[in-house]
Amino acid sequence: MTLDSKIPEGPIQQKWDNHRFNLKLVNPANKRKYHIIVVGTGLAGASAAASLAELGYHVTSLCYHESPRRAHSIAAQGGINAPKNYKNDGDSVWRLFYDTVKGGDYRAREANVYRLAQVSGNIIDQCAAQGVPFAREYGGLLDNRSFGGAQVSRTFYARGQTGQQLLLGAYQALCRQIDSGKVKFYARREMLDLIVIDGQARGIVARNLESGAIEPYIGDAVVLATGGYGNVFFLSTNAKYCNATAIWRAHKRGALFGNPCFTQIHPTCIPVASDYQSKLTLMSESLRNDGRIWVPKKARDKRDPRQIPDAERDYYLERMYPSFGNLVPRDVASRRAKEMCDKGHGVGPTQLAVYLDFAEAIQRNTKEWVAEKYGNLFDMYHEITGENAYEAPMRIYPAVHYTMGGLWVDYNLMSTIPGLFVLGEANFSDHGANRLGASALMQGLGDGYFIIPYTIGNYLATSKFPPLKSDHPAFTEAAKSVLEQTRRFVSIKGKRPVDDFHRQLGKIMWDLCGMARNADGLKKVLQSIPQLREEWWKDVVVPGSVDNFNPEIEKAGRVADFFDLAELLATDALHREESCGGHFREEYQTEDGEARRNDDKFMYVAAWEYKGVGEKSVLHKEPLSFEYVKPSQRSYK
């Protein structure tokens, strides 16, 4: 299979504009003849559904929550990037492009990243017009703050609730189209299979999570905006409902999966407190603007942090990276925190934490000033830990957060299945091997508001769509297959609950395929997963029946997919014999512990083709070239 990224010709500054001009158009009167299915209602899905309906297309929107407002996009706290240069500190589209390519450790397409930087300013205008309450300076202008991997202030924010406020804006736009009748919205539906007919994506089958019924949905194109797969590790910052089933079922139907091993570890999460936790909680990266990260210089120092004088503290990020200090990228900050804990300088009951200290900021600017900028985050920390971070430092430790891998897409955001488009975190993204902070919201809204409305029209205008009915054999066969799998879950009647298997899978993945990886550990993962999967199909217990409300069936389907995805993730990590971004192979590091790439052998997107459970996936390569930002050893010193 030859991967055609469809990157347009010409200077990078003109690629997107020229490409838009050359795309085929659908006459406004003809748009109502086309039907588009959008799965997912987070920032990417809601903005795409609203924008496509505004253009005149008929849209079906599906959400596995009872409301789009429950989408995990609300959990994004810190902000959204755009190079408006309001601070007059030297920002530009080019600098955002440069920072993103460098931050991704030179494993992203230059053309995609530049386009993302180009449209990001429009996102802020769009959202401000929708009424998103961005923070403002005294004079009324929108305020900015800094995030990791940048030396300028380009992050727009709404205290620590940026994702929630942005989602409310997209949700209102979606509701307007639902009210107009252009969007048919279906709540509590989960996509379980993709329908491909004559090589085209023509619909999906979904489970009604309230009744248990398997329902067909027919369209001329399918848009997946279903988020990432961080919950393959069980403990992550993702909501428990977040899963990979939609993209994994599409992968099984022929959509290639790009860079599955590129998972992001976030450095500022509340540490694990017990073996019974079901998820972890993120403390926004924005806290690193004014908080200082440190550990005691003395190993295993169990004194109250307020009793440790400044001379006996190691502000290790400021020491090791004087140019960027506490605002180094997430992968760098995460590895250094792990390194400090591994050397015995960890703090807290488990010794797997470092301090994030606001004492100096409070002394410099007052407690009220800190509370105005970060108050809800301090409240959240208090609710979870019972500790007052105004009086004592927060304890933080890295945790699985975002996934840069996902379904492979071309410049038009179309997968290797014609008619299947993938947006936001669900695609293999514009972030390379590491996402810079405040870029997830930027990509999701950029894809939904400003890219897919152009590119999907070109596909519709150049393709033919024979009429279909729900009794087409492809739909009936898919529905039958999905129903058989759910019945199989219930029929096993084993002794171990779904969550027990998921927790064991997650521990295998975190211990051997998490923040640090090596060949021996990855080989153990690839031995352990088939054994665990075999035990799963013999001993899992899924109570209840298939034909009514049954959350255990939902969980079982998602965990079954996680087994297969985890196997591919470890396969990809083993094959990529280099360190880059969030993929850190211990065998490939510099003398001072930084990631060491191998550009001669691995400067490509690894796109994997599914061949069946237990069968070896086939690797396809999309070579990457860097004409404008020359690859070099990443340095933030």
Side-chain angles (χ1 to χ4, degrees), residues 423-481:
L423 313 187
E425 192 180 359
N427 71 32
F428 86 105
S429 85
D430 303 337
H431 310 298
N434 175 59
R435 177 175 69 80
L436 292 184
S439 289
L441 306 183
M442 177 174 66
Q443 188 211 349
L445 291 177
D447 287 355
Y449 280 138
F450 297 109
I451 299 175
I452 194 65
Y454 289 97
T455 60
I456 203 169
N458 182 74
Y459 170 74
L460 296 172
T462 56
S463 305
K464 294 183 178 180
F465 304 97
L468 288 179
K469 293 184 178 179
S470 59
D471 60 356
H472 188 283
F475 284 92
T476 56
E477 289 170 11
K480 180 181 177 183
S481 174

Side-chain angles (χ1 to χ4, degrees), residues 481-494:
S481 174
V482 165
L483 194 56
E484 285 177 352
Q485 184 184 50
T486 55
R487 286 173 175 164
R488 185 182 177 191
F489 290 143
V490 174
S491 69
I492 295 172
K493 300 187 185 303

Side-chain angles (χ1 to χ4, degrees), residues 425-570:
E425 192 180 359
N427 71 32
F428 86 105
S429 85
D430 303 337
H431 310 298
N434 175 59
R435 177 175 69 80
L436 292 184
S439 289
L441 306 183
M442 177 174 66
Q443 188 211 349
L445 291 177
D447 287 355
Y449 280 138
F450 297 109
I451 299 175
I452 194 65
Y454 289 97
T455 60
I456 203 169
N458 182 74
Y459 170 74
L460 296 172
T462 56
S463 305
K464 294 183 178 180
F465 304 97
L468 288 179
K469 293 184 178 179
S470 59
D471 60 356
H472 188 283
F475 284 92
T476 56
E477 289 170 11
K480 180 181 177 183
S481 174
V482 165
L483 194 56
E484 285 177 352
Q485 184 184 50
T486 55
R487 286 173 175 164
R488 185 182 177 191
F489 290 143
V490 174
S491 69
I492 295 172
K493 300 187 185 303
K495 297 179 180 178
R496 291 181 61 185
V498 172
D499 283 342
D500 194 35
F501 280 99
H502 192 184
R503 190 184 299 274
Q504 185 176 346
L505 173 66
K507 180 170 175 52
I508 292 170
M509 294 299 291
W510 176 249
D511 289 348
L512 301 175
C513 195
M515 213 182 321
R517 304 158 176 181
N518 59 57
D520 290 341
L522 293 169
K523 290 174 183 177
K524 290 179 182 177
V525 172
L526 293 173
Q527 292 172 353
S528 300
I529 291 176
Q531 296 171 2
L532 187 60
R533 181 170 50 212
E534 183 179 355
E535 187 178 346
W536 157 274
W537 288 113
K538 292 178 180 178
D539 200 30
V540 70
V541 56
V542 180
S545 62
V546 301
D547 54 358
N548 55 26
F549 176 76
N550 190 343
E552 289 299 310
I553 282 181
E554 300 168 36
K555 290 197 295 185
R558 296 165 188 169
V559 174
D561 291 333
F562 277 144
F563 281 124
D564 300 340
L565 174 54
E567 198 166 23
L568 181 62
L569 197 163

Side-chain angles (χ1 to χ4, degrees), residues 2-46:
T2 301
L3 293 175
D4 182 3
S5 60
K6 295 184 171 62
I7 297 174
E9 298 293 328
I12 198 166
Q13 298 92 332
Q14 301 172 18
K15 285 182 185 292
W16 177 231
D17 291 337
N18 292 341
H19 187 64
R20 286 189 296 173
F21 179 77
N22 291 316
L23 291 172
K24 300 295 182 183
L25 300 177
V26 178
N27 182 300
N30 287 337
K31 285 188 171 74
R32 67 178 68 98
K33 299 178 181 179
Y34 293 103
H35 186 180
I36 302 169
I37 299 169
V38 180
V39 185
T41 54
L43 285 177

Side-chain angles (χ1 to χ4, degrees), residues 294-299 301 308 312-314 345-347 355:
W294 63 275
V295 294
K297 289 182 178 179
K298 179 183 176 182
D301 189 337
I308 301 176
E312 297 179 29
R313 300 179 178 186
D314 182 6
H345 297 277
V347 300
Y355 289 127

Side-chain angles (χ1 to χ4, degrees), residues 83-97:
K84 292 281 195 177
N85 197 33
Y86 285 170
K87 294 287 188 181
N88 197 30
D89 56 358
D91 204 7
S92 64
V93 169
W94 189 269
R95 189 174 293 277
L96 175 55
F97 159 65

